[in-house]
Amino acid sequence: MYKAIILATALFSTQLLAKDFQENQIDNGKVNANGKPVTLLGNGVKVGQQAPDFKVVDGSFVPVTLTSFKDKAVLISVVPSLDTGICSLQTKHFNEKVAGEFSDVVMLTISADLPFAQKRFCQTEGIDKVQTLSDSVWHDFGKNYGLYIKDMGLLSRAVFVLNKEHKVVYKQLVENLATEPNYEQTLEALKAL
């Protein structure tokens, strides 16, 4: 019953919040789903700027912010939904092939999935090096990074690398929601830290 109430609240709040978001002027027109452009809402970010803080929740609904990782480099892998094939591959890739090589970098995967779904996914798939965080409560990450997809309630696929001062040193906005990010470019950005 508790899960049903949270799900209903999250879905209702998604519709209300979308009305308050502005269109992302930096990245609009750059992402498509099934060949059709999607409208991104929120404030876009650029390489070189200070990364905006955000407030998301972990698997126990404990709030987590970017400032929780003070003085640490951070990779943020953003996926629409962990329960889809490409999002699953992306998260597994960073968990299995990247996190071990860059143990001094905090690895995050952020989606609009409910924390229950994220926790189940991590247990089933053995995700143990990447921390999954949910933007389903406040949609703060989607708004602050301009990745909230209008009329979908999901986040657009992207990858960010932040240095220890949390400046954006790399940004990859994946053009087609149905494709994986370019992992080689991400690795080069991590090696340059």
Side-chain angles (χ1 to χ4, degrees):
M1 177 70 170
Y2 179 68
K3 289 181 182 180
I5 292 170
I6 289 176
L7 178 60
T9 303
L11 292 173
F12 180 70
S13 67
T14 296
Q15 297 304 318
L16 290 178
L17 286 173
K19 293 177 184 174
D20 296 332
F21 288 10
Q22 302 176 45
E23 286 191 17
N24 173 344
Q25 298 302 313
I26 295 171
D27 298 314
N28 254 342
K30 296 180 181 176
V31 178
N32 70 77
N34 297 323
K36 295 180 182 177
V38 298
T39 300
L40 299 179
L41 302 177
N43 305 313
V45 298
K46 296 179 181 178
V47 171
Q49 82 172 72
Q50 193 66 36
D53 201 7
F54 55 80
K55 185 176 177 183
V56 292
V57 293
D58 67 12
S60 300
F61 281 90
V62 174
V64 176
T65 64
L66 180 58
T67 55
S68 303
F69 308 106
K70 186 177 178 178
D71 299 324
K72 294 183 180 177
V74 180
L75 175 136
I76 305 172
S77 171
V78 187
V79 298
S81 178
L82 289 169
D83 280 327
T84 61
I86 301 299
C87 299
S88 176
L89 288 171
Q90 181 176 334
T91 303
K92 288 180 201 176
H93 180 86
F94 285 115
N95 186 71
E96 297 166 6
K97 299 190 173 146
V98 179
E101 186 178 343
F102 298 95
S103 57
D104 56 335
V105 177
V106 174
M107 301 275 169
L108 306 176
T109 291
I110 300 179
S111 74
D113 294 307
L114 291 172
F116 311 113
Q118 290 184 336
K119 194 182 252 185
R120 177 185 35 77
F121 172 83
C122 290
Q123 290 170 345
T124 302
E125 300 296 337
I127 304 299
D128 57 355
K129 297 174 192 76
V130 171
Q131 184 177 357
T132 56
L133 299 170
S134 173
D135 196 35
S136 66
V137 178
W138 302 286
H139 307 288
D140 194 55
F141 178 83
K143 180 179 182 181
N144 291 346
Y145 284 71
L147 297 176
Y148 188 84
I149 303 173
K150 183 178 180 179
D151 299 328
M152 292 178 102
L154 300 173
L155 299 175
S156 189
R157 188 179 314 284
V159 180
F160 297 90
V161 176
L162 315 178
N163 66 16
K164 290 181 180 181
E165 293 78 36
H166 293 168
K167 284 206 173 173
V168 179
V169 297
Y170 175 76
K171 171 185 174 180
Q172 181 183 158
L173 183 65
V174 181
E175 188 178 302
N176 183 341
L177 286 178
T179 61
E180 293 177 77
N182 183 319
Y183 298 119
E184 289 304 316
Q185 289 178 359
T186 304
L187 283 173
E188 291 304 315
L190 289 168
K191 288 175 185 173
L193 285 176

